[in-house]
Amino acid sequence: MDKNLLQEQVLAQLQADLQQAQRAAQTAHEAATHEENVAENKYDTLGLEAAYLASGQARRVEELRQTLITWRQLRPRPFDAAQGIALGALVLLVDAQERERWLFLGPQGASMKLQQQGLEIQVLGSAAPLGRALLGKGPGDEVRLAAAGGVQSFEVLAVE
């Protein structure tokens, strides 16, 4: 699989998310500053609510900008067994029920599923519990995670 193509797909999705968030932030700002939303009394909170929404939307836009910056700086490299799994690694895991899943490990902030060569690849941030557990591991290593339903076990089958 092509990790650079996966990164391009992540960047395209993040850019689309950013554009959508910018439109939402603009709409929320317009609502917060519209003359019809000026409070007529202390119980009229429509303008205040719109301002809170606009503030939240602006924070989301900034988070997406930062995520885009970190993903643009990522340079996927071939797997180095001495270093173990690192950012930019493409990892094949198998769980206790023998279900295989591909993960593309990157900086935080871009959780999504992608398709490549007919396979589904979960994009996972290194700050996620599974992402943290995978760092430094290699093929044949076992990863265990505490989950709501008990402990989940995965074996690393391959790393690219």
Side-chain angles (χ1 to χ4, degrees):
M1 278 189 261
D2 186 344
K3 295 191 286 187
N4 291 315
L5 180 58
L6 285 172
Q7 182 180 11
E8 289 175 20
Q9 289 176 291
V10 170
L11 290 171
Q13 183 61 51
L14 287 172
Q15 188 63 45
D17 291 349
L18 176 61
Q19 290 172 349
Q20 181 180 5
Q22 286 171 326
R23 286 190 301 273
Q26 180 64 31
T27 301
H29 175 73
E30 289 168 2
T33 58
H34 195 275
E35 64 186 42
E36 290 181 6
N37 289 334
V38 174
E40 295 177 6
N41 60 50
K42 66 180 182 178
Y43 301 109
D44 188 358
T45 61
L46 187 58
L48 181 61
E49 292 168 10
Y52 282 133
L53 179 60
S55 174
Q57 292 290 358
R59 279 193 303 276
R60 177 70 179 136
V61 166
E62 186 54 33
E63 288 171 3
L64 282 167
R65 281 188 182 129
Q66 291 304 314
T67 300
L68 263 167
I69 289 168
T70 58
W71 272 89
R72 283 183 182 131
Q73 293 171 345
L74 178 66
R75 300 291 177 251
R77 303 184 198 299
F79 176 66
D80 178 0
Q83 183 183 20
I85 294 173
L87 292 183
L90 188 58
V91 182
L92 177 60
L93 296 179
V94 64
D95 64 17
Q97 288 77 37
E98 300 296 320
R99 292 180 297 217
E100 293 183 355
R101 63 194 260 200
W102 283 96
L103 301 173
F104 183 48
L105 187 63
Q108 66 183 29
S111 179
M112 63 186 73
K113 291 183 180 177
L114 303 173
Q115 296 288 324
Q116 194 177 92
Q117 297 178 0
L119 297 171
E120 182 178 87
I121 296 113
Q122 173 69 47
V123 177
L124 184 68
S126 60
L130 182 55
R132 283 193 312 266
L134 286 170
L135 291 174
K137 303 284 193 229
D141 287 344
E142 184 178 351
V143 177
R144 298 172 61 83
L145 287 177
V151 176
Q152 290 182 317
S153 269
F154 302 95
E155 180 184 349
V156 177
L157 292 182
V159 183
E160 294 181 20

